[in-house]
Each structure stands twice: as structure tokens, then as C-alpha cells.
Amino acid sequence: MTAPPVLDLTADAVTLTRQLVDIESVSKNEALIADAVQAALEALPHLTVARRGHTVVARTELGRGSRIVLAGHLDTVPVNDNLPSRLDAETGILHGLGTCDMKGGDAVILRIAATVPEPVHDVTFVLYEAEEIDSRFNGLRLLSESDPDLLEADFAVLMEPSNAVVEAGCQGTLRVEVRTRGERAHSARSWRGVNAIHAAAEVLDRLNSYAPRKPVIDGLEYHEGLNAVGIRGGVAGNVIPDECVVEVNFRFAPDRSEDEALAFVRDFFDGYDLTLTDSAPGALPGLDRPAAKAFVEAVGGSPNPKFGWTDVARFTVLGVPAVNYGPGDPMLAHTKEEHVPVADIERCEQQLRAWLEGREDDR
Amino acid sequence: MTAPPVLDLTADAVTLTRQLVDIESVSKNEALIADAVQAALEALPHLTVARRGHTVVARTELGRGSRIVLAGHLDTVPVNDNLPSRLDAETGILHGLGTCDMKGGDAVILRIAATVPEPVHDVTFVLYEAEEIDSRFNGLRLLSESDPDLLEADFAVLMEPSNAVVEAGCQGTLRVEVRTRGERAHSARSWRGVNAIHAAAEVLDRLNSYAPRKPVIDGLEYHEGLNAVGIRGGVAGNVIPDECVVEVNFRFAPDRSEDEALAFVRDFFDGYDLTLTDSAPGALPGLDRPAAKAFVEAVGGSPNPKFGWTDVARFTVLGVPAVNYGPGDPMLAHTKEEHVPVADIERCEQQLRAWLEGREDDR
């Protein structure tokens, strides 16, 4: 057993971010970082700590009339020559794997846990494993199934990178395979067969005719998208192909359920053989709820819609309104050049602190 | 060294076909069958025999005013649970790998070599290796380069399966990759990218609008074909793809050169990035030439155009008019169920004999 690194929760959030980044924690390798996080939180007498797999949950038990969740995942995508962390003091940019997605956010969570012992809402801090891989390993999902009571709350903030601006809700996503069929023949006598790739022209033509819906929900304009993300067909260079498969991804606004989204796609590709391969619901922004309203007012700025799918949808399924709010540009996530502005980390910590201490921040 | 099996050229052509079939000779494994063929031909005093690799050439040297070639390949596609040969006496069908493509034809060649010692034309018998694999191994190609004089002739008959009816010339074939390009983006924000698969719709639409040319050459109607034989595109299930490649096969009538065929395809896909990946010329039927005319008259029946590409094109390049004429249905070639009607083998032998003995067959 390697002794876990010791996290210093009295250090500033940027230093703490570096400590977290420098504990390599590619998905499925979160034991060490979870141990370190658990030890640091267990040292705080005002928190009750639980561990499930490599997911750590710490809660205040102050008997407040409301409870909020602050959640962040501990894992990263694979290392890509971007460890250890590197702070560019001149530009105020912290570089390295996980700086943006999302150890900057994790550091903010740990700093709040350590330094706001009497928040105005009870707080549940969730630091979880395996967000970057197949959802069957996702720590938040597993926790929501094994211990839903640990996630009970009036509101949740997921520290996904959002440029330190509230991104509300998320769009759903589903994937289907649209299949055309034909009949094989030697390509020297092509008229004896039926070309399944040629038949896919109509599928692509329909995609080209698609006009995205952009519904406005709680004042936020979402933006749907229906796209081929893959196509394959062909048997050999001298054979008329008898099958072509177009893989289509539908990103749908959170006012549609998964069933409604699938019905739309089925209707859109009416007449074709269609197989659902993947589906995840969206999450309504829920900005009309008092807890969300109060949060948005506290942290300031104009909320944006979240186009990508995030774990906020898991909270929605539990009946907990949730938003994305964290340091860093989501466009940098999963890139080799991943980085985060120090100012984003500082701003997120400051705004959350102001909110949970019940005071107006001097923004 | 294994002693080669002894071929009995005094046996009937069907028995001889079985002997050849039962010597397994998948491409690159023709040594044994070539040894057997060479030994059998060298035993015939009226022939001069040469060997190049596993290709055997035997020639009469009678000083006739004209020379013809009878050619067949000795190799087969891989074994597919279809050896040894099996004769169904009731239906008159001989089953097994190579029965159709093309040891029935090879047996006819060997029977003619053995039993027509004084043909009206000098004859060059060519039994060659590696027709079923990459053309750089093709024995006829290698021979045409190393010893073009051995292939000098006024006319050639290639014993490719053609249902014992003359199939004249052959269509050419070329393959191109037609490429569309786009710009990657996360599929949750698809409007930031350009979908290269969607752009391929126009490529497929053009293919669907294609009307095949069917030129009549020497009384034979050819039939061109332009077909997608493969399509590929896609980066990941959540990425707008930046490239899509459509692999297109053009089968062109022998009145076009390869250059003209490529020019047609370039024009057809005007505006697209196009890469030529493969090209082989067609062969004109040459039925207007006296030698061909005489052959067609001798063997009877109505010649058909050959749609597929065959080695007759190699003779054309050498300036030797050539036709396909052999037992068996070309549609059965390369199938597990490959077989040949005994009657086809007998008919081919009978007609060739009649032609080379200079008499009208009693058909």
C-alpha cells in the first residue's frame, strides 16, 4: 500500500488544484486520490464522511432548512504528455491534465468544505470516480443507486468547467444506427444487385434538410442537433454492397424526454431500419426554482444553456435541480493543451463562499 | 521433394479435370501442379516445353502461317471445405474447388495438347500461376514481360468460365476514392463544425443519377457501371466528422482507354478531391479480326460481351486479340459451391478440337 499524498486544505485553491492534478487519476485509477481526499475531509470535525468505491461523500449536519450538493469527479481522461501541472505565473494560467476538467472545481469544493464550517445551507460534498468512461462505472450514478439518501438535496452544483458562469440544465443525447439494405452482386454486373450505399443518399439528404429546433426554456435558448457521426459500408472493391450503416447522434433540448426524442428521430427517418444504441436524458435548467434562483443571484452573471450532456442529468432524475458551474473552458476539456485560468478558480471559490456564507460578494 | 502426381492425358477431360482439382493449388502453392503439368507435356514429342516460375508453356512448331494461344491459370482461391472433387453422376455435375475456375478449362487445354498433334494453326499452350491474387504475381503478366515472344500469336483463347460460349473482350475497371472534408466539433455544438458525412450526400446523389452507357462494339452490347463499393467516415460518437471517403468502382466498356475512363470519372465528380487507387484496361472484343471470326464460326453459338475484367486484357496489350471461352458458370467462381457441368467440359473440348483439326463440328 502506498500512503496517500497529504492534501493541504489550508493552502489556496490554486495550490490545491496543483496537488490534485499531480496525483495521476485516470479513470479506474482513482484509489490514491480518493484516499487523499477522504483523509483530508475526515480531518475536518464538522463533516461526516462516507466512502463508496472511490467516491467520497462529506456532509454538514447543521439542521439547516435546506441542503445543497457540491459535486465534482476525481478522474481524468488518459495522460497525454500533460503531467505534471505547470503554472505560468506571467499569464496566470495553470496547465496540465485535469486542471480544467475538473480538479480546479474539486479544489474549490475542498476549500469550501474546509473553510466554511457553518454554511447557510447544509452542504453535501461529493467527489466521485469514473465520470470519463462508460456510465456503468460512473461513481455518481452508482451512489444514486446505492445511497440515494446521501444525494437528497434542494439544489446541486456540478463543478463542470463553464468559464465560471452558470450553465443551466443540459441537452440530452441519443444515438441510432440507420441501416439501408441492398443485394450483393459482382460490381462488373452491378445491375444484378442493389447498392445499399447509394440508398444511403436519401438518409444523408434528410440530414441535410434538418432544421434545428432552438426552444427557449427559463430564458435560455437551447440548440438541438441531428448529425451523422459515422458511416460504414462495403464488402470488397468488386462487390455491390448489401448494407450501409449511418450512425446518427441527436442532441435534444431538455424539454423533450428520451422517449419523445426517439419518437422524433424515428419519425424523421420514417421508412428506415433504426436501432437505438445509446440514450441519456437532458436536464431542465430549473432556474424557476427558488434554490436555483438564489444561487444564480448569489454568483452573478447571466446563465447560459448547457449544450453538452453532463451529470447534472443524474440529479434531475433524482428530482434535484442542478446547474453546471466551474472554472475553465469546456472546449479545452480532453485536449492535450488543457488549462485553466487561475482567476476562474479564484472567482468560483469566492462566489460559492459568498453564497454559502449568506453574504453579498463585493463583485 | 514430393514426386509430382502423374497426369493421365489419355483419360477423358472430366477425369483429367478431377486429377487437376485434387492437386490442391491455392495461389502461391502451384509448384506441385506445375510440375505435373510440365512432366505430362514434356512427354509429348510434338511439343517444345518451357517453364518460368510455376508457369508452363508448350508450343507446336509446325511452321503454320498462324499461331493461336490456349491459356488457363493453374491456381485457385483458398480451399473452402470444397475438396476433393465429387462427381454427381446423376446430374452430370462435377463439384469442387477449381472445377469451374478453371481446371475444367485446363483439362481441355491438356487434352488438346495431347490429342491434336497436327493442328491447322500452330498452338501455344500456357498454364500459368497466380491469377487469383495481386497482379504483381500473375504468371501471364510475368511471362508477357520476361518472354513476350513466347506469347506472340494471331489470336488467343483464355479458358475462363463462360458457360462454353464465347465471351469477347472485357470491360476495364478503375477505382477512385472521392473525399469530402469538413471541420471537427463536439456534436453537442455541431453548428461550430462542418459535417463531412453530410457533404457526401451529393456524391451519392450523383451516383444515383448515373445512367450507364451501353455501347455496342462488334455487335456486342457492353454495360458500364459506376458504383460506390465502400464508404467510411466518423471520428467518435460525439464528434462532427471532418472526413468522409466514398470508394467508387467504374467498370468501363473497352472502347474507352484507362485515361478516358478516368477523365470521365473526374468530370463526373467535378469539384471533389479524387484519388485513383486502381486501374486496369479493358479489351476490345476484336471479333472483326479474321482469326477471331474463324474461331467464333468454328465453335458456334452467339458470342456475349464479357463484363468482368479478365486476363484477355493482357493479350490485348500485347496486340493479340483474345476471347474468353471455357466450361462453367462464371457466377459460381469463388463460391464454396463451385461446380461445372460435365457437358460444358465435353463441349469445349469438342469445339476446340473441331476448330484446330480444321473440320466443321457436327453440332
Side-chain angles (χ1 to χ4, degrees):
Chain A
M1 293 279 293
T2 312
V6 175
L7 297 173
D8 178 6
L9 302 195
T10 69
D12 65 276
V14 175
T15 301
L16 187 54
T17 301
R18 297 194 68 175
Q19 290 183 25
L20 291 168
V21 168
D22 292 342
I23 304 171
E24 188 261 272
S25 61
V26 174
S27 309
K28 296 279 210 175
N29 189 29
E30 301 98 332
L32 207 62
I33 197 168
D35 289 350
V37 164
Q38 182 181 0
L41 291 172
E42 283 178 340
L44 301 170
H46 65 284
L47 297 178
T48 309
V49 178
R51 168 90 173 238
R52 299 287 183 276
H54 298 315
T55 294
V56 181
V57 184
R59 298 159 55 96
T60 64
E61 306 281 5
L62 300 166
R64 304 291 194 226
S66 57
R67 176 175 288 280
I68 64 103
V69 171
L70 294 184
H73 63 80
L74 292 171
D75 63 322
T76 69
V77 294
V79 184
N80 190 4
D81 199 20
N82 49 7
L83 277 184
S85 62
R86 181 174 58 80
L87 179 63
D88 185 331
E90 198 164 323
T91 58
I93 301 285
L94 179 63
H95 298 266
L97 176 65
T99 49
C100 167
D101 188 15
M102 53 189 283
K103 292 180 176 178
D106 295 336
V108 170
I109 291 175
L110 292 173
R111 283 288 294 162
I112 297 292
T115 62
V116 187
E118 296 198 340
V120 296
H121 308 284
D122 268 313
V123 184
T124 304
F125 303 95
V126 180
L127 292 136
Y128 63 100
E129 64 183 326
E131 192 268 353
E132 297 291 6
I133 55 175
D134 192 295
S135 74
R136 71 179 184 273
F137 303 110
N138 185 294
L140 191 65
R141 189 185 71 73
L142 294 172
L143 191 68
S144 73
E145 287 172 11
S146 67
D147 300 78
D149 51 307
L150 283 182
L151 291 174
E152 273 175 16
D154 299 284
F155 183 62
V157 177
L158 186 65
M159 303 294 295
E160 283 283 345
S162 63
N163 293 306
V165 172
V166 174
E167 290 191 343
C170 77
Q171 297 202 123
T173 178
L174 66 78
R175 262 177 284 274
V176 293
E177 289 185 344
V178 184
R179 196 168 258 97
T180 60
R181 295 190 195 280
E183 207 173 312
R184 285 192 199 187
H186 195 290
S187 65
R189 293 173 291 274
S190 50
W191 53 94
R192 295 196 185 184
V194 178
N195 195 316
I197 294 177
H198 293 195
E202 166 66 14
V203 174
L204 300 185
D205 285 339
R206 288 197 199 176
L207 284 168
N208 279 318
S209 75
Y210 169 77
R213 201 173 63 104
K214 302 179 186 178
V216 175
I217 308 169
D218 293 355
L220 303 179
E221 189 184 72
Y222 287 87
H223 191 147
E224 296 188 331
L226 187 68
N227 274 276
V229 290
I231 191 165
R232 60 181 192 270
V235 176
N238 60 355
V239 176
I240 300 304
D242 57 352
E243 185 180 84
C244 183
V245 178
V246 186
E247 189 189 0
V248 174
N249 183 208
F250 183 37
R251 299 284 174 153
F252 52 95
D255 59 343
R256 299 198 204 244
S257 69
E258 288 174 273
D259 284 350
E260 288 164 350
L262 180 58
F264 169 81
V265 173
R266 283 201 189 284
D267 186 56
F268 190 85
F269 290 113
D270 187 37
Y272 288 95
D273 175 7
L274 197 137
T275 310
L276 180 69
T277 57
D278 186 37
S279 178
L284 284 164
L287 294 184
D288 53 337
R289 303 239 202 149
K293 223 177 247 180
F295 175 74
V296 170
E297 275 165 24
V299 303
S302 292
N304 292 322
K306 184 75 176 176
F307 298 121
W309 192 91
T310 77
D311 271 343
V312 295
R314 299 193 197 281
F315 286 105
T316 301
V317 169
L318 293 170
V320 180
V323 298
N324 304 279
Y325 175 73
D329 183 346
M331 300 297 282
L332 293 171
H334 304 194
T335 68
K336 187 175 175 177
E337 294 73 25
E338 182 172 352
H339 59 255
V340 69
V342 162
D344 271 20
I345 298 176
E346 291 171 345
R347 176 178 162 77
C348 282
E349 182 186 356
Q350 194 180 3
Q351 306 290 48
L352 285 178
R353 181 187 307 284
W355 174 47
L356 291 171
E357 290 182 344
R359 60 178 170 82
E360 285 291 314
D361 182 58
D362 56 348
R363 61 177 175 274
Chain B
M1 291 284 293
T2 312
V6 176
L7 297 173
D8 178 7
L9 302 195
T10 69
D12 66 275
V14 176
T15 301
L16 187 54
T17 301
R18 297 195 66 174
Q19 289 182 26
L20 291 168
V21 168
D22 293 340
I23 305 172
E24 188 261 272
S25 60
V26 175
S27 309
K28 296 280 208 173
N29 189 29
E30 300 99 331
L32 207 64
I33 197 168
D35 289 349
V37 164
Q38 181 181 0
L41 291 171
E42 282 178 341
L44 301 170
H46 64 284
L47 296 179
T48 309
V49 178
R51 168 90 173 239
R52 298 289 182 275
H54 300 314
T55 294
V56 181
V57 184
R59 298 158 56 97
T60 64
E61 307 279 6
L62 301 165
R64 304 292 194 225
S66 56
R67 175 175 290 280
I68 65 102
V69 171
L70 294 183
H73 64 81
L74 293 171
D75 62 323
T76 69
V77 294
V79 184
N80 190 6
D81 198 22
N82 50 6
L83 278 184
S85 62
R86 180 173 58 80
L87 180 62
D88 185 331
E90 198 164 321
T91 57
I93 301 286
L94 179 62
H95 298 265
L97 175 66
T99 49
C100 168
D101 186 17
M102 51 188 285
K103 292 178 175 179
D106 294 335
V108 170
I109 291 174
L110 292 172
R111 283 287 294 161
I112 298 293
T115 62
V116 187
E118 296 197 340
V120 295
H121 307 284
D122 268 314
V123 183
T124 304
F125 303 94
V126 181
L127 292 134
Y128 63 101
E129 63 183 326
E131 191 268 351
E132 297 291 6
I133 54 175
D134 191 296
S135 74
R136 71 179 184 272
F137 303 110
N138 185 295
L140 191 65
R141 188 185 71 74
L142 293 173
L143 192 67
S144 73
E145 288 172 10
S146 67
D147 301 79
D149 51 307
L150 283 182
L151 290 174
E152 272 174 17
D154 300 283
F155 183 61
V157 178
L158 186 64
M159 303 294 293
E160 282 284 344
S162 62
N163 294 306
V165 173
V166 174
E167 290 190 343
C170 77
Q171 298 202 123
T173 178
L174 67 79
R175 260 177 286 275
V176 292
E177 289 186 344
V178 184
R179 196 168 258 97
T180 60
R181 296 190 196 278
E183 206 174 311
R184 285 192 198 185
H186 195 289
S187 66
R189 293 174 290 274
S190 51
W191 54 94
R192 295 197 185 183
V194 178
N195 195 315
I197 294 177
H198 293 195
E202 165 67 14
V203 174
L204 301 184
D205 285 339
R206 287 196 200 177
L207 284 168
N208 278 319
S209 75
Y210 169 77
R213 202 173 63 105
K214 301 179 184 178
V216 175
I217 307 169
D218 292 357
L220 303 180
E221 187 184 73
Y222 288 86
H223 191 148
E224 297 188 332
L226 187 67
N227 273 278
V229 290
I231 190 166
R232 60 181 192 272
V235 177
N238 60 355
V239 176
I240 300 303
D242 57 352
E243 186 180 85
C244 183
V245 177
V246 186
E247 190 188 358
V248 174
N249 184 208
F250 183 37
R251 299 285 176 154
F252 52 95
D255 58 345
R256 300 198 204 243
S257 69
E258 289 173 274
D259 284 349
E260 288 165 349
L262 180 58
F264 169 80
V265 173
R266 282 199 190 283
D267 186 55
F268 190 84
F269 290 113
D270 187 36
Y272 288 95
D273 174 8
L274 198 136
T275 311
L276 181 70
T277 57
D278 186 37
S279 178
L284 284 163
L287 294 184
D288 53 337
R289 305 240 200 147
K293 224 178 244 179
F295 174 75
V296 170
E297 275 165 22
V299 302
S302 291
N304 292 322
K306 184 75 175 177
F307 297 119
W309 192 92
T310 78
D311 271 344
V312 296
R314 299 192 196 279
F315 287 105
T316 301
V317 170
L318 293 170
V320 180
V323 298
N324 304 279
Y325 175 73
D329 183 346
M331 300 296 282
L332 292 171
H334 305 194
T335 69
K336 186 176 176 176
E337 295 72 27
E338 181 172 353
H339 59 256
V340 68
V342 162
D344 270 20
I345 298 174
E346 291 170 347
R347 175 175 163 79
C348 283
E349 182 185 358
Q350 196 179 3
Q351 306 290 49
L352 285 178
R353 181 186 309 284
W355 174 46
L356 291 171
E357 289 181 345
R359 59 178 169 82
E360 286 291 314
D361 182 57
D362 57 348
R363 63 177 171 273

